[in-house]
Amino acid sequence: MSTVLLAGGAGYIGSHTAVELLAAGYDVVIADNYSNSCPEAVKRVEEISGKSVRTYECDIKDSAELDRIFSENSIDAVIHFAGLKAVGESVAKPVLYYRNNIDTTLSLLESMERAGVKRIIFSSSATVYGEENPVPYTEEMPRGTCTNPYGWTKVMMEQILEDAARADKELAVVLLRYFNPIGAHPSGRIGEDPQGIPNNLMPYVSQVAVGRREKLTIFGNDYDTPDGTARRDYIHVVDLAKGHVKAIGYVLEHSGVEVFNLGTGTPYSVTEIVDTFEKVNGVPVPHVYGERRPGDLPESYANADKALAVLGWQTEKDLSDMCRDAWNWQKNNPNGYNK
């Protein structure tokens, strides 16, 4: 069976993808510098899967270390999860984000070229659709204007990968545009464990519910949506991980560049998330309404028909599953991986 290198594979999405790849019979190698993750996640991946994972503590910008990983393993394909991802921090520290995220991509491509590895899947984002495109987003839409440096790094990295594939006809690239992954593995052993104050809604909701934070502030209740709060396409992280397994099967058999949305196609408002979380789990989530955040769109959701038609992938879990599994992870790991 093929061996897949997960760059940044100890993180939230990477660890869940590792579990699904191992279940599908792939061998997995993880390289991660643990800047926004921890080794405990990999141990729990091994516990859930009953399989061992070769792991390297490595900054993906370190070309010499990457070359060593490729020389010591017969890598068939790479999934590129590595990168900084906090929108607010990217506005405050744009140079850090451009240096880190773009350098990791260039270093990976260079090491892959030296090792003769020709298949890469990139963790992109719905952010690349920008502000101009109407919802639901489809893959043939042009990339739009982003509102923050994090989004621009995704746009630039997509462009770099497309140009590389144009120059090297043997290179196969799949760009996976994620919508809003939430939830956790149903075992409750791995989940989202953000460092510091969460940037995303669900971990914040979970931390309020478990008592780590006093209350949730919902940014804006005057949007042109049914209940006035912003609507997003939330996808269960296990469904997202299974999308990567389908994409690996595809990228091993094709060349060129292909783009897929990974989303449910159904938007939920912030208020719906909070209400569902409280109802499904029987726990209160104290919340207040605040001002809109600059750059937040009223709605963002996918048309995921292409992933179904080409990859045979569609989501299986609903919002109740997402809320239930997120709470199962948080209540069993109130301080995340730091027991």
Side-chain angles (χ1 to χ4, degrees):
M1 185 50 96
S2 301
T3 299
V4 184
L5 171 64
L6 307 186
Y12 173 46
I13 298 169
S15 58
H16 287 82
T17 300
V19 167
E20 299 304 325
L21 285 168
L22 290 162
Y26 291 95
D27 290 325
V28 169
V29 178
I30 287 176
D32 202 301
N33 66 354
Y34 305 122
S35 65
N36 195 30
S37 59
C38 69
E40 177 65 24
V42 182
K43 291 181 190 168
R44 296 192 187 184
V45 166
E46 293 180 321
E47 171 197 309
I48 292 166
S49 65
K51 297 178 182 178
S52 62
V53 177
R54 179 174 270 200
T55 309
Y56 294 83
E57 185 170 354
C58 164
D59 190 319
I60 305 302
K61 298 191 297 294
D62 186 338
S63 296
E65 189 65 12
L66 276 182
D67 287 347
R68 182 169 79 89
I69 292 169
F70 281 109
S71 70
E72 291 180 0
N73 301 276
S74 180
I75 304 293
D76 297 289
V78 175
I79 305 181
H80 179 15
F81 297 108
L84 300 171
K85 62 176 187 174
V87 169
E89 184 183 54
S90 79
V91 174
K93 301 177 179 177
V95 175
L96 173 68
Y97 269 65
Y98 288 118
R99 168 67 74 191
N100 183 82
N101 291 3
I102 293 169
D103 270 10
T104 56
T105 304
L106 295 172
S107 296
L108 260 179
L109 283 169
E110 289 167 348
S111 280
M112 286 172 61
E113 186 173 18
R114 288 190 289 270
V117 177
K118 298 291 187 180
R119 324 240 161 249
I120 183 168
I121 293 169
F122 175 57
S123 297
S124 193
S125 166
T127 308
V128 303
Y129 290 111
E131 298 178 293
E132 302 91 337
N133 288 305
V135 290
Y137 300 131
T138 57
E139 290 87 349
E140 71 275 4
M141 288 176 175
R143 286 184 285 255
T145 302
C146 294
T147 56
N148 57 77
Y150 161 76
W152 280 118
T153 66
K154 293 294 188 185
V155 167
M156 292 173 185
M157 290 185 284
E158 282 198 6
Q159 188 68 53
I160 288 166
L161 288 158
E162 287 178 359
D163 290 343
R166 202 170 288 118
D168 180 355
K169 299 304 181 193
E170 293 181 1
L171 188 62
V173 174
V174 169
L175 307 174
L176 295 180
R177 292 177 179 164
Y178 305 164
F179 281 72
N180 293 71
I182 60 174
H185 193 270
S187 67
R189 296 297 290 153
I190 58 173
E192 189 166 10
D193 183 22
Q195 310 297 306
I197 298 171
N199 296 292
N200 298 325
L201 176 63
M202 185 57 85
Y204 209 109
V205 167
S206 300
Q207 289 187 14
V208 170
V210 86
R212 275 175 67 179
R213 307 204 176 271
E214 180 189 358
K215 63 180 183 290
L216 169 74
T217 299
I218 296 174
F219 298 110
N221 62 346
D222 58 350
Y223 286 104
D224 185 16
T225 60
D227 63 22
T229 61
R231 301 206 305 168
R232 297 287 179 268
D233 188 335
Y234 294 95
I235 174 174
H236 197 297
V237 68
V238 172
D239 280 335
L240 186 73
K242 289 178 177 176
H244 291 73
V245 178
K246 295 285 192 181
I248 281 288
Y250 179 87
V251 82
L252 288 170
E253 300 296 329
H254 295 80
S255 58
V257 180
E258 206 60 76
V259 183
F260 297 102
N261 287 335
L262 294 185
T264 65
T266 303
Y268 295 101
S269 73
V270 179
T271 298
E272 285 178 285
I273 295 282
V274 173
D275 289 349
T276 305
F277 190 96
E278 291 182 326
K279 181 182 174 186
V280 166
N281 298 315
V283 291
V285 180
H287 55 279
V288 296
Y289 294 96
E291 295 295 311
R292 294 186 189 189
R293 287 185 303 194
D296 275 358
L297 300 172
E299 292 190 303
S300 169
Y301 57 98
N303 176 317
D305 292 350
K306 183 179 175 184
L308 175 59
V310 178
L311 301 179
W313 173 87
Q314 60 185 335
T315 58
E316 299 169 0
K317 296 175 181 290
D318 63 17
L319 184 58
S320 294
D321 297 321
M322 300 179 212
C323 292
R324 188 180 302 109
D325 289 340
W327 177 236
N328 186 42
W329 151 256
Q330 193 72 73
K331 73 182 180 187
N332 288 307
N333 304 270
N335 295 308
Y337 291 111
N338 300 314
K339 298 170 191 165

